[in-house]
Amino acid sequence: MAGRRYAGVRTLIEPGSLATSGANVVDSDALVLHFPSPKTVTGEDVLELHVHGGPATVKAVLSAIRKCASPARIRYAEPGEFTRRAFINGRLDLAQVEALGDTLAAETEHQRRAAIRGNSGILGKTYDGWREQLLLARGEIEALIDFSEDQHFDESPTELLSNVKSLVKGILHSVELHKLGSRRSELLRNGIRIALLGPPNAGKSSLMNQIVGREASIVSDEAGTTRDIVEASLDIRGYLCSFADTAGIRTKAAETISQLGETPTSAIGAVEEEGIRRARQKALDSDVIIVLASVEGAKLGGFQIGYDVETLRLAAGAQQCLIAVNKADVVSPDTLRSLIDHFKASALANIDGLSSVEPLIISCKAAAKPATKGSTDPGGVHELTEKLAKSFSDLTSLPSDMQHLLGVTERQNQLLSECERHLEDFMAEAQSTGPYDEPDVVLAAEHLRLAALRLAFITGRGQSGDVEEVLGVIFEKYRPPHLTQPRGMEC
């Protein structure tokens, strides 16, 4: 079987059983697969046993394996040992190892897709490519430092650094794109944060329960029922989301643009005030804000849309926002259209960033009832969910030729930021300020070394230093006269 893969159906017998009470057949038709190194998952010889039956058969096979004659001790693999061996033997780089971990931890479809893209090996090859470019550039600079007195160089330090600057500028642009990919992939890994805002009794808890599909919040007609933030994690169209129902926001100065009902508004207590403070902070920390307004009876008769100015301003500053008007079932379609037009003209048009937003019309009461024949979206909550999924896509999508950047992890992003800082330091050092001001080539080379080292940390290559590689570049490119003789054997 040496040197080639092998597959066969074999009978597995417990070692030593033939010499005692007869053959103890563990599995009569096991599939045996042999994969010779180095083209295996770990880079070492791999033997796979595919057996039949349940846990008892597997347990018997594992017990029999330990009794096999072997020059080395047979033991169970340590947690992650196969992955560690694959890394040591060059079958995986650290970026791929991280992607493998993300694949195992993926809970949603888009998390799985991002992890698969990170496991393609493109990221590791890209970082190794940048590192090799910086290595070559550093080799040229250090050759200038070491051999400038022995040889004549056609380029001055300023000219040489000018050529390297164009290379570094390109890498800096690429680093920025990878950091963008990291920010978007973090949303997929950690979940997109959604804050549900609006005045008291607008129906926020009812809407959250409709979306989440369970009684996550207390639903009551009493204004300000939700005093604290109620959160739920859920999968919406393959996106992991953290959905937060917050306390109804109102101010002591009664800035809520509504006079709801005939009963005077109750004073804001200390507990409700703390809930409002947390709601504001949750909105500032969120990626998507849903602002809920509602159709309410006006104090002087008729109907109006109750909303809160502060929540609208918070939504205008969010990365993505949706405006929804609840309780659409309490008025006729014509009246509702008139109320919506007035809401857009008197409220949304006066807030920067919201003038072109089209409010979604929903009814949590209608959505809670069984769907009638011919009705596919009672209450409009399904449409709101689709709009949410569209906003998630806008937050996390990348062009087709940049999809692999969704595999960039937070660790890689931190190292890329450090690499970027060293490259910017190089650009500043290489900038000549006058005809008699020569840049410090020694310091410039050091900045390149530190930048390349950060890239090595990402893939796990060259962490112990790259002195020999730099010397190799110097000797191959310039070959000073006293070093051109063939090297002899070292004893």
Side-chain angles (χ1 to χ4, degrees), residues 146-376:
D146 294 339
F147 307 122
S148 58
E149 297 181 358
D150 299 335
Q151 289 189 225
H152 173 69
F153 285 86
D154 296 331
E155 296 176 308
S156 67
T158 302
E159 292 173 331
L160 178 59
L161 292 181
S162 178
N163 294 335
V164 177
K165 278 170 56 180
S166 60
L167 166 68
V168 170
K169 185 180 294 185
I171 295 178
L172 280 171
H173 174 70
S174 299
V175 167
E176 195 58 43
L177 292 179
H178 279 241
K179 291 174 65 179
L180 170 64
S182 171
R183 290 192 291 270
R184 301 203 169 188
S185 66
E186 281 303 300
L187 290 176
L188 296 176
R189 289 188 185 90
N190 299 332
I192 299 170
R193 299 163 298 180
I194 308 167
L196 182 55
L197 305 179
N201 206 31
K204 298 186 298 300
S205 296
S206 298
L207 176 58
M208 179 175 177
N209 290 336
Q210 286 296 321
I211 295 176
V212 175
R214 59 185 173 88
E215 295 294 316
S217 301
I218 301 172
V219 179
S220 169
D221 291 334
E222 178 189 351
T225 302
T226 305
R227 293 290 189 258
D228 205 346
I229 296 172
V230 180
E231 295 191 66
S233 294
L234 63 156
D235 181 340
I236 297 180
R237 305 296 186 270
Y239 295 93
L240 178 63
C241 307
S242 176
F243 211 101
D245 176 18
T246 63
I249 294 182
R250 59 185 181 130
T251 63
K252 292 183 178 179
E255 292 179 354
T256 302
I257 311 301
S258 178
Q259 298 175 8
L260 307 179
E262 299 292 339
T263 305
T265 303
S266 60
I268 298 177
V271 175
E272 183 178 358
E273 186 173 358
E274 174 61 18
I276 293 172
R277 185 196 68 79
R278 295 187 183 185
R280 291 193 185 101
Q281 187 58 50
K282 174 60 73 173
L284 294 173
D285 295 338
S286 296
D287 306 302
V288 180
I289 291 180
I290 302 175
V291 171
L292 195 62
S294 61
V295 178
E296 305 288 350
K299 186 176 182 179
L300 301 179
F303 293 91
Q304 65 182 27
I305 292 180
Y307 64 95
D308 183 87
V309 174
E310 183 177 357
T311 59
L312 292 176
R313 292 194 182 112
L314 288 170
Q319 297 182 63
Q320 295 285 329
C321 73
L322 296 176
I323 311 294
V325 177
N326 189 26
K327 306 182 184 179
D329 57 290
V330 302
V331 295
S332 67
D334 291 339
T335 301
L336 180 61
R337 187 70 261 167
S338 176
L339 291 175
I340 293 293
D341 290 340
H342 182 264
F343 174 57
K344 291 168 62 178
S346 62
L348 301 185
N350 296 325
I351 298 177
D352 291 339
L354 299 182
S355 57
S356 61
V357 173
E358 184 65 31
L360 298 169
I361 300 173
I362 66 170
S363 171
C364 293
K365 183 177 180 180
K369 296 179 179 178
T372 59
K373 187 176 181 180
S375 176
T376 58

Side-chain angles (χ1 to χ4, degrees), residues 3-37:
R4 63 184 181 89
R5 295 182 178 182
Y6 172 84
V9 177
R10 294 290 182 267
T11 299
L12 301 183
I13 300 175
E14 180 183 358
S17 61
L18 287 173
T20 56
S21 58
N24 179 17
V25 177
V26 179
D27 191 342
S28 59
D29 293 298
L31 177 61
V32 179
L33 301 175
H34 174 255
F35 301 93
S37 63

